[in-house]
Amino acid sequence: MGIDITYDGGLSEVSARLSESIETIIAAGAQCVCDNAKAACPVDTGTLRESIGAECDGRRAEIYADTDYAAYVEFGTSKMSPQPYLIPSLIDSEAAVLEAMAQAITDI
């Protein structure tokens, strides 16, 4: 009696599909955070809101606000209370992104 086990390389295909799915989910998650941050951003002239963006590079995403005073609005100063818009947007989007990742793994 014997057992013959043959590996057909199927895991590499699964890994490739998962990698593509994860990259798509990260990009969509980054855009979700960006959109939420723009919606939550306090507006005076609109410059701060318009400076909010997202850049994705594979499995890495960066959400940013590109003005000199973005951090002052987010965290406040000794003369101004904080008006957070980026960090709450990230926290609010976390569950949706993790759920999408879990679904991508299930679909493979």
Side-chain angles (χ1 to χ4, degrees), residues 47-98:
T47 302
L48 177 58
R49 180 180 55 204
E50 294 306 313
S51 79
I52 298 171
E55 291 183 9
C56 299
D57 181 18
R59 296 181 182 181
R60 180 185 163 279
E62 178 181 359
I63 297 93
Y64 58 85
D66 193 20
T67 65
D68 293 339
Y69 57 89
Y72 301 135
V73 175
E74 179 79 14
F75 301 109
T77 67
S78 62
K79 298 179 181 181
M80 182 179 86
S81 296
Q83 300 177 67
Y85 56 96
L86 275 175
I87 293 174
S89 297
L90 177 62
I91 292 168
D92 291 346
S93 302
E94 179 184 15
V97 172
L98 290 175

Side-chain angles (χ1 to χ4, degrees), residues 6-70:
T6 304
Y7 173 65
D8 65 1
L11 286 178
S12 59
E13 181 182 323
V14 169
S15 175
R17 287 196 326 250
L18 181 59
S19 182
E20 290 172 14
S21 293
I22 294 299
E23 290 176 9
T24 301
I25 290 165
I26 289 172
Q31 190 59 52
C32 178
V33 173
C34 181
D35 292 344
N36 289 343
K38 285 184 176 188
C41 180
V43 177
D44 185 19
T45 65
T47 302
L48 177 58
R49 180 180 55 204
E50 294 306 313
S51 79
I52 298 171
E55 291 183 9
C56 299
D57 181 18
R59 296 181 182 181
R60 180 185 163 279
E62 178 181 359
I63 297 93
Y64 58 85
D66 193 20
T67 65
D68 293 339
Y69 57 89

